[in-house]
Amino acid sequence: MIPAPFDHITPVTLDEAIRALTSHGEEAKLLAGGHSLLPLMKLRLASPKLLIDLSKIPGLAGIRQEGDKMTVGALTTHYQIESSELLKEKCPLLPQTARVIGDVQVRNRGTIGGSLAHADPAADLAAAMLALGAELRVRGAQGERWLKAEEFFLDLMTTALSPSEILTEIRVPVLSGRCGTAYLKLPQKASGFALVGVAVWLRADGGLCADIGVGVTGLGAKPFRAVRVERHLRRKRLEPALIETASAEVTLRIEPLGDIHASAEFRAHLARLYTYRAIVEAARTAGISLTKAKGK
Amino acid sequence: MPVSKLVGARIKRREDPRLIRGLGHYVDDINLPNTLHVAILRSPHAHARIKAIRVEEALKCDGVVAVITGSDIQEQIGPVPVASQNPTLRVPKHPVLTVDKVRFVGEGVAAVVAEDRYTARDALDLIQADYEPLPVVSDPEKALEPGSPVIHPEWPDNVAFRWALKQGNLAKAFKEAYKVVKQRLVHQRLAPIALEPRGVLARYLPGEKELTLWSSTQIPHILKTQLSLMLRLPENRLRVIAPEVGGGFGSKLNVYAEEALLGYLAIRLGRPVKWIEGRRENIQATIHGRGQIGEVEVAVRKDGTILGLQYKVVADIGVYHQLLTPGIPPLTGLMLSGCYRIPAIGIEVVGVFTNRMATDAYRGAGRPEATYVMERMMDRLAQELGIDPVKIRQKNFPKPKEFPFKTATGLVYDSGNYQAALRKALKLVGYEKWRSEQKRLREERRYLGIGLSTYVEICGMGPSAAMPAGGWESGTVRMEPTGKVTVLTGASPHGQGQETSFAQIVADELGVDLDDITVIHGDTAVVPSGIGTFGSRATAVGGTAVFQSAEKVKEKAREIAAHLLEADPEDLVFSDGKFSVKGVPKKGITIQQIALEAHVAKNLPKKMEPGLSATSVFEPSNFTFPFGTHICVVEVDPKSGGIEIKKYVAVDDCGKVINPLLVDGQVQGGIAQGLGQALYEEVVYDENGQILSGSLMDYAVPKAGDLPRFELARTETPTPVNPLGVKGVGEAGTIGSTPAVVNAVVDALTPFGATHIDMPLKAEKIWRLCQGKKAARAGGGR
């Protein structure tokens, strides 16, 4: 459990970090909380020659409101998100998701930016990002750009970040009106990652579902937004049977992963079940009264 | 014996302040100048011929001092030993580093010695080993099939040993049975996962010709003897030290290749050498536990009376035997009767070689398997006969007056009152209340299950006659001239708390303060002899040796006191550490004063040797048999497969209790590991012999947050086997808990027709069982 040799630098500005990243290319890795990268290095599944430690760059962590958006710095830890009173009020799905990540030690060190950029297919926060339609601010040698969460995750551990880009900030909407949220997951018992995790937010308009976002993690090679499920329910009166039909669509065109912890078939089942349960829970918190759910 | 003050008291562990503050010394905390570091190249293949190993590139690496392969040392170091014997046992030669072939993933192929740990690890990647893969046999049942790949060419059937036992008229029992219930049960392989992996530091002093080996071991004295044989070194030039040991659970009750290798390297290189195991190595190359596949048949009368039991087990041995490997499955056989009267028992064990790491003793070691078989079967029988699981157990218990109770397997249970522990647990859990709650919730399609386990286990190991290498234990009590007390014990602990509990025994006996007692263990140059801590034996055997030495010290002190007080020894009373003459309480002398008198030796009784110390070796006359009842209540979600433990009650009887706090700790940790087997843990090898659960990201040990609150209680039935009346408690929690959890989950799912689910009870298994099945309405069986 000893990593291969590597160098370690601690730039104090973002530009300095981007320059280092540009000049070292694929040989360099950014170090945030290190909770995904360091285990890979210890197992020698990753052997970067250089670690660019972002911890000394000011301004990369923190949570603030900007109008109808909440801004979360990339180096904000899971614990900071979990315990943020501001987020609990303005966008509760984030703290709801952050509080079930790993364990206390992981949440104390792990960061939202590190987790998203690492793009583990079973990471929890990705589901919330997709459900919320988050925007990700990215800085690179060519300047700055914004990516939508849906454009960000490309494949297994692969994102739309170019090798010299750094994820700096995440922006999610302030959830106003009668909103409900839920994140449900079945954790893999050893790692704590999601066998399947489903994040939902929805806005109620009377008994109608005015708008809804559904993000799914753990099921396939990358976390995804369950657009079909959303479409099925948007502007509809929520009924258990309708939610059940909609939830069944979560697995369409998805190739579920299978491993020693859960087969592809079981993961698909869990995705449907947890989508259903998460929507029901979000509807409940939005104050929509469903007729009694039939034993789901 | 004076009125107890400390024995029975909840004294906090005296070990903890140093451990909590990081001031303890584990092997890796011991730093000797000039130390070299060792890394071991391990086989990536489960079975392959080694065509070539090229070490030149690794040797060129800056800081690399030596690279050793199996052929370099095959003449110098003897094979890794096996102690358990058996007339049919086949013992393949178990080299310290393999030569020519690799036979399991993780087998040592070469070792790099370097100036630092990082260089040693980096240089491993520069060794070029060419392998020619051979057919792999990973599954123990397939290994027995004709035409299966062969692991050791001298034994083409892959059979490692056979062991059988038959007692009573089985044919009659099965003929007269109202019903015969059969079940296949899998006890999956588990990794012990001690918090501190293994580690070895070795130093050789060429002038003194003395090898000192620090190892994270449970058995320093046995290791010393075995190492002297492996390294062909005089045993009196060898010193083994087990410093702070961060858990073992049986995995460090062994003699490992790395221990001999490090000893050899220290001698050959003339510098201290250190090796600290990584977690992946720990899962690959430290022994595993369990690994049995059993077919059980029970013959029963209509009223639930058991007539006979037949058990056939395939035991997954791995490639080589480690120290006690072939001794574990027979222990399952001997304990199969559980806490029941079973007139006829037949057991057949076949040990099978597989391309996997060796199995050996893991917390419970053979008894969890036995308890699981019987406790699962009691529930199966109850289900088949429509009897309450409590009633069928009570029906088959021997009564308290039947003890000592002889089982059909030939063991004699020392003492017991199984009814009392069961009654207490039922009351504590509120059994009837949960049964009616279960009925009520089923109407709502919620599935509650109540699982019982009434266990008995065997511990306090020896006696020597029944052990492979001595079942006694040594204990020394020495009063220093200044009145302090030094206690030496051969029962070298690895987290059990002997520094606290043994001091409590001595403090009461000698009337001294706990703070004036130091308990020393784990150093073969300081502790004259010993066996070690395993098999829940430390207090029952080692504690008794210490107690007997304290008694001897007290008796000698009494003679000295009588001499100094000019009184008859019979006329002296001993109280609060002071001898005084009966009726003249003012005329007295403290045991500390006596210790000084004994040391200066100017005024001692004629012919008495100076000094005030004693050593005893206690040889128990029998094992001890602790018992108890565990009850688990779960709610199962048939849709997600999730299991929630709603209540857990354990009533354990480990005889007399020295320190209730330590006993509670042992039971809590034991239950946690038993739950781990029931719910999460499994070493998964694929058909190619690759480990798919090779790190803690994939091997699920239970974490504190996963566990419910355990409600603990006790009954106390002393053993007649030792004067302290203690039985042992190190493994009881693990043995009792696993079947309670599985029984609860199966009970919850009986409306879905569940009769058995193999461990670990993963969500997917539950879901598959329930899928597509409509639950029977309440009232349709439990």
Side-chain angles (χ1 to χ4, degrees):
Chain A
M1 305 296 263
I2 293 176
F6 61 88
D7 282 331
H8 174 259
I9 58 169
T10 50
V12 293
T13 67
L14 206 49
D15 287 337
E16 201 186 327
I18 291 167
R19 274 198 302 278
L21 201 51
T22 310
S23 60
H24 290 87
E26 301 279 357
E27 305 229 299
K29 274 275 181 194
L30 298 174
L31 179 67
H35 268 53
S36 298
L37 180 59
L38 296 188
L40 289 180
M41 290 170 61
K42 286 182 173 185
L43 296 171
R44 299 203 174 202
L45 296 172
S47 301
K49 296 273 186 291
L50 175 70
L51 288 190
I52 303 168
D53 186 340
L54 300 177
S55 63
K56 297 288 183 284
I57 301 173
L60 281 181
I63 297 161
R64 62 183 191 279
Q65 183 173 1
E66 287 176 1
D68 60 352
K69 303 278 182 190
M70 294 302 301
T71 297
V72 182
L75 283 198
T76 309
T77 63
H78 305 320
Y79 176 72
Q80 287 167 329
I81 293 171
E82 170 189 2
S83 59
S84 162
E85 291 303 324
L86 191 62
L87 280 177
K88 282 183 203 167
E89 190 194 329
K90 304 291 180 187
C91 190
L93 184 56
L94 275 190
Q96 280 165 359
T97 307
R99 74 164 184 243
V100 295
I101 297 172
D103 54 32
V104 176
Q105 291 93 324
V106 168
R107 295 197 293 277
N108 275 332
R109 288 284 310 178
T111 67
I112 182 169
S115 170
L116 297 177
H118 183 67
D120 189 292
D124 297 295
L125 279 171
M129 294 295 109
L130 288 154
L132 291 165
E135 298 159 302
L136 286 73
R137 187 178 192 176
V138 163
R139 278 270 301 273
Q142 263 71 51
E144 186 175 287
R145 59 177 179 140
W146 285 89
L147 288 166
K148 290 209 171 75
E150 287 162 88
E151 306 161 347
F152 186 76
F153 300 105
L154 298 184
D155 204 348
L156 196 76
M157 321 289 254
T158 311
T159 68
L161 286 171
S162 80
S164 63
E165 280 181 324
I166 300 176
L167 172 62
T168 60
E169 203 169 78
I170 291 95
R171 211 154 69 178
V172 292
V174 170
L175 301 182
S176 54
R178 268 177 59 205
C179 283
T181 56
Y183 178 66
L184 293 184
K185 78 160 171 179
L186 185 65
Q188 194 257 71
K189 282 293 178 189
S191 68
F193 276 98
L195 282 177
V196 163
V198 181
V200 173
W201 82 268
L202 61 81
R203 185 182 302 115
D205 179 4
L208 286 188
C209 167
D211 200 0
I212 183 168
V214 180
V216 181
T217 189
L219 181 64
K222 62 169 187 172
F224 65 95
R225 185 169 169 182
V227 184
R228 288 159 192 277
V229 180
E230 295 173 3
R231 213 181 288 146
H232 209 114
L233 296 175
R234 208 169 275 135
R235 305 299 313 162
K236 299 274 173 56
R237 184 165 302 278
L238 292 187
E239 305 281 355
L242 182 73
I243 299 173
E244 192 170 346
T245 322
S247 300
E249 298 191 357
V250 72
T251 50
L252 289 181
R253 298 207 181 177
I254 300 294
E255 204 156 310
L257 298 175
D259 57 22
I260 60 167
H261 305 291
S263 69
E265 189 191 357
F266 184 52
R267 273 194 170 83
H269 162 75
L270 284 176
R272 292 187 287 266
L273 180 67
Y274 278 67
T275 300
Y276 176 89
R277 287 180 176 181
I279 293 170
V280 169
E281 173 65 11
R284 194 188 61 77
T285 57
I288 298 178
S289 65
L290 300 171
T291 51
K292 194 170 157 32
K294 41 168 219 175
K296 269 262 176 178
Chain B
M1 201 168 157
V3 176
S4 280
K5 286 178 296 188
L6 290 168
V7 167
R10 292 181 83 85
I11 306 288
K12 281 190 186 172
R13 281 163 45 97
R14 305 163 80 207
E15 295 88 337
D16 283 348
R18 68 170 187 268
L19 298 178
I20 289 167
R21 289 183 294 164
L23 299 176
H25 286 86
Y26 298 88
V27 172
D28 205 13
D29 296 311
I30 300 164
N31 293 305
L32 302 178
N34 256 333
T35 297
L36 293 167
H37 296 265
V38 178
I40 294 167
L41 182 72
R42 297 188 181 275
S43 168
H45 295 282
H47 202 191
R49 201 179 308 285
I50 303 172
K51 283 158 58 186
I53 305 179
R54 283 181 290 277
V55 304
E56 297 77 18
E57 288 302 311
L59 267 173
K60 275 188 225 156
C61 197
D62 222 18
V64 169
V65 173
V67 181
I68 308 286
T69 64
S71 56
D72 296 335
I73 55 166
Q74 57 179 336
E75 303 299 326
Q76 282 79 7
I77 310 179
V80 179
V82 50
S84 292
Q85 292 305 322
N86 167 337
T88 66
L89 189 67
R90 293 161 168 181
V91 181
K93 192 182 171 209
H94 183 174
V96 163
L97 292 175
T98 191
V99 185
D100 301 332
K101 264 187 195 176
V102 291
R103 295 177 181 87
F104 66 95
V105 169
E107 183 165 19
V109 171
V112 172
V113 190
E115 295 290 342
D116 65 76
R117 212 174 271 185
Y118 300 92
T119 306
R121 173 61 188 85
D122 290 344
L124 287 187
D125 293 344
L126 301 174
I127 299 176
Q128 292 164 292
D130 294 341
Y131 298 99
E132 177 194 334
L134 295 169
V136 173
V137 54
S138 179
D139 179 315
E141 288 178 304
K142 287 190 181 151
L144 288 174
E145 290 171 5
S148 161
V150 172
I151 294 173
H152 303 290
E154 57 271 50
W155 304 301
D157 56 4
N158 291 321
V159 169
F161 65 90
R162 289 182 190 276
W163 183 92
L165 185 150
K166 203 174 161 208
Q167 200 58 246
N169 194 336
L170 268 174
K172 184 165 167 273
F174 278 81
K175 205 175 128 214
E176 290 177 359
Y178 166 72
K179 227 173 201 172
V180 172
V181 180
K182 298 180 188 185
Q183 185 64 52
R184 176 186 160 94
L185 298 159
V186 178
H187 314 265
Q188 78 273 31
R189 265 189 184 241
L190 303 176
I193 313 278
L195 202 55
E196 181 207 19
R198 293 184 292 130
V200 186
L201 168 67
R203 177 191 64 190
Y204 185 65
L205 301 176
E208 291 86 343
K209 292 192 168 57
E210 184 191 276
L211 177 68
T212 303
L213 194 109
W214 289 260
S215 183
S216 185
T217 181
Q218 299 173 222
I219 47 164
H221 286 90
I222 292 175
L223 181 58
K224 173 179 65 104
T225 304
Q226 294 297 334
L227 280 178
S228 87
L229 298 171
M230 290 174 79
L231 296 171
R232 294 169 205 121
L233 215 64
E235 192 173 354
N236 53 8
R237 296 285 178 187
L238 195 60
R239 176 183 182 186
V240 172
I241 302 174
E244 217 71 82
V245 177
F249 311 117
S251 71
K252 296 170 183 173
L253 160 56
N254 229 306
V255 175
Y256 283 101
E258 293 86 352
E259 291 169 319
L261 178 65
L262 272 274
Y264 165 81
L265 290 170
I267 296 169
R268 175 166 153 180
L269 300 171
R271 288 172 65 180
V273 288
K274 189 189 261 188
W275 167 75
I276 302 295
E277 186 182 50
R279 185 59 73 190
R280 288 232 292 184
E281 287 182 291
N282 179 254
I283 293 177
Q284 290 180 351
T286 289
I287 62 101
H288 295 157
R290 320 285 189 259
Q292 294 187 12
I293 301 166
E295 303 273 354
V296 59
E297 289 182 56
V298 183
V300 67
R301 273 204 202 118
K302 193 172 185 178
D303 68 355
T305 306
I306 298 176
L307 298 172
L309 179 151
Q310 174 80 40
Y311 188 55
K312 292 182 183 171
V313 54
V314 173
D316 176 1
I317 295 304
V319 169
Y320 303 113
H321 300 291
Q322 283 278 348
L323 198 63
L324 302 173
T325 301
I328 307 301
L331 194 52
T332 303
L334 290 173
M335 283 309 293
L336 262 182
S337 190
C339 47
Y340 309 108
R341 204 187 294 105
I342 305 179
I345 293 189
I347 302 150
E348 292 171 32
V349 177
V350 54
V352 184
F353 291 121
T354 54
N355 285 118
R356 298 173 169 190
M357 178 61 199
T359 51
D360 201 316
Y362 165 58
R363 202 171 191 173
R367 292 98 97 203
E369 296 91 321
T371 302
Y372 184 71
V373 170
M374 267 328 290
E375 291 310 300
R376 264 299 27 245
M377 289 316 287
M378 292 314 282
D379 268 33
R380 286 282 285 110
L381 297 174
Q383 199 178 25
E384 293 282 337
L385 298 170
I387 304 177
D388 189 283
V390 171
K391 298 227 163 58
I392 195 165
R393 285 173 166 82
Q394 285 170 328
K395 176 122 211 143
N396 290 284
F397 281 163
K399 295 192 172 57
K401 63 174 191 289
E402 292 179 64
F403 287 86
F405 178 77
K406 191 159 194 251
T407 69
T409 58
L411 295 172
V412 179
Y413 293 173
D414 54 345
S415 62
N417 186 344
Y418 304 152
Q419 286 85 347
L422 173 59
R423 272 198 303 271
K424 193 165 183 173
L426 291 171
K427 195 166 169 220
L428 197 57
V429 81
Y431 184 71
E432 290 307 325
K433 189 197 79 179
W434 282 111
R435 281 291 176 210
S436 51
E437 182 72 356
Q438 177 181 46
K439 208 169 170 187
R440 189 182 69 77
L441 286 176
R442 276 185 193 171
E443 295 292 344
E444 299 176 18
R445 295 189 186 164
R446 287 176 59 189
Y447 301 95
L448 210 64
I450 303 139
L452 272 93
S453 159
T454 51
Y455 73 91
V456 61
E457 61 132 334
I458 180 170
C459 66
M461 315 233 161
S464 298
M467 301 286 289
W472 47 267
E473 195 50 86
S474 84
T476 298
V477 173
R478 185 172 76 221
M479 290 216 58
E480 309 293 354
T482 53
K484 303 291 180 191
V485 184
T486 303
V487 176
L488 312 178
T489 173
S492 182
H494 47 289
Q496 289 78 2
Q498 273 105 294
E499 289 177 34
T500 307
S501 54
F502 286 14
Q504 286 175 260
I505 294 170
V506 172
D508 276 0
E509 196 55 22
L510 299 183
V512 298
D513 278 355
L514 202 63
D515 292 342
D516 285 339
I517 302 170
T518 295
V519 179
I520 295 179
H521 51 77
D523 184 342
T524 62
V526 178
V527 179
S529 65
I531 301 294
T533 290
F534 56 86
S536 303
R537 70 188 302 274
T539 310
V541 191
T544 301
V546 165
F547 171 73
Q548 290 183 336
S549 292
E551 274 190 319
K552 286 185 195 167
V553 163
K554 196 167 81 179
E555 282 321 299
K556 184 171 181 183
R558 180 186 296 273
E559 280 182 50
I560 298 170
H563 175 76
L564 295 172
L565 297 171
E566 297 174 335
D568 191 294
E570 304 292 309
D571 291 337
L572 295 184
V573 289
F574 183 67
S575 170
D576 285 336
K578 191 175 164 188
F579 287 98
S580 53
V581 181
K582 228 178 263 173
V584 197
K586 279 194 180 157
K587 196 177 171 194
I589 181 166
T590 66
I591 197 157
Q592 289 86 357
Q593 288 171 312
I594 295 168
L596 182 62
E597 289 293 339
H599 181 78
V600 299
K602 291 183 192 304
N603 186 9
L604 292 179
K606 273 205 186 79
K607 291 186 179 171
M608 180 182 273
E609 288 182 10
L612 189 55
S613 75
T615 293
S616 307
V617 177
F618 178 62
E619 171 68 53
S621 56
N622 188 7
F623 300 100
T624 60
F625 295 86
F627 59 90
T629 296
H630 287 212
I631 303 179
C632 178
V633 181
V634 299
E635 183 171 353
V636 181
D637 177 351
K639 293 209 164 64
S640 70
I643 297 165
E644 183 201 351
I645 297 178
K646 300 187 89 79
K647 201 170 176 72
Y648 196 102
V649 163
V651 175
D652 297 283
D653 192 321
C654 56
K656 281 280 196 190
V657 170
I658 307 292
N659 183 333
L661 192 62
L662 291 180
V663 168
D664 285 355
Q666 286 291 339
V667 173
Q668 298 250 3
I671 297 173
Q673 282 180 305
L675 252 62
Q677 170 164 25
L679 299 175
Y680 314 132
E681 295 186 44
E682 184 173 28
V683 178
V684 183
Y685 280 91
D686 69 9
E687 68 270 28
N688 299 315
Q690 294 293 330
I691 302 183
L692 303 181
S693 54
S695 80
L696 293 182
M697 289 291 278
D698 287 303
Y699 187 90
V701 288
K703 302 169 190 74
D706 300 329
L707 302 171
R709 202 175 82 92
F710 305 130
E711 292 171 49
L712 308 182
R714 272 187 283 282
T715 57
E716 194 168 298
T717 311
T719 177
V721 171
N722 62 64
L724 295 173
V726 302
K727 288 193 169 185
V729 73
E731 295 157 288
T734 315
I735 293 164
S737 59
T738 308
V741 177
V742 178
N743 283 345
V745 173
V746 174
D747 183 54
L749 297 177
T750 41
F752 295 90
T755 54
H756 177 69
I757 312 171
D758 271 328
M759 303 179 289
L761 304 178
K762 288 185 177 179
E764 182 163 358
K765 286 186 195 168
I766 308 285
W767 171 68
R768 285 196 185 279
L769 186 137
C770 299
Q771 202 194 9
K773 283 181 195 149
K774 239 190 151 72
R777 300 301 295 169
R782 319 204 76 109

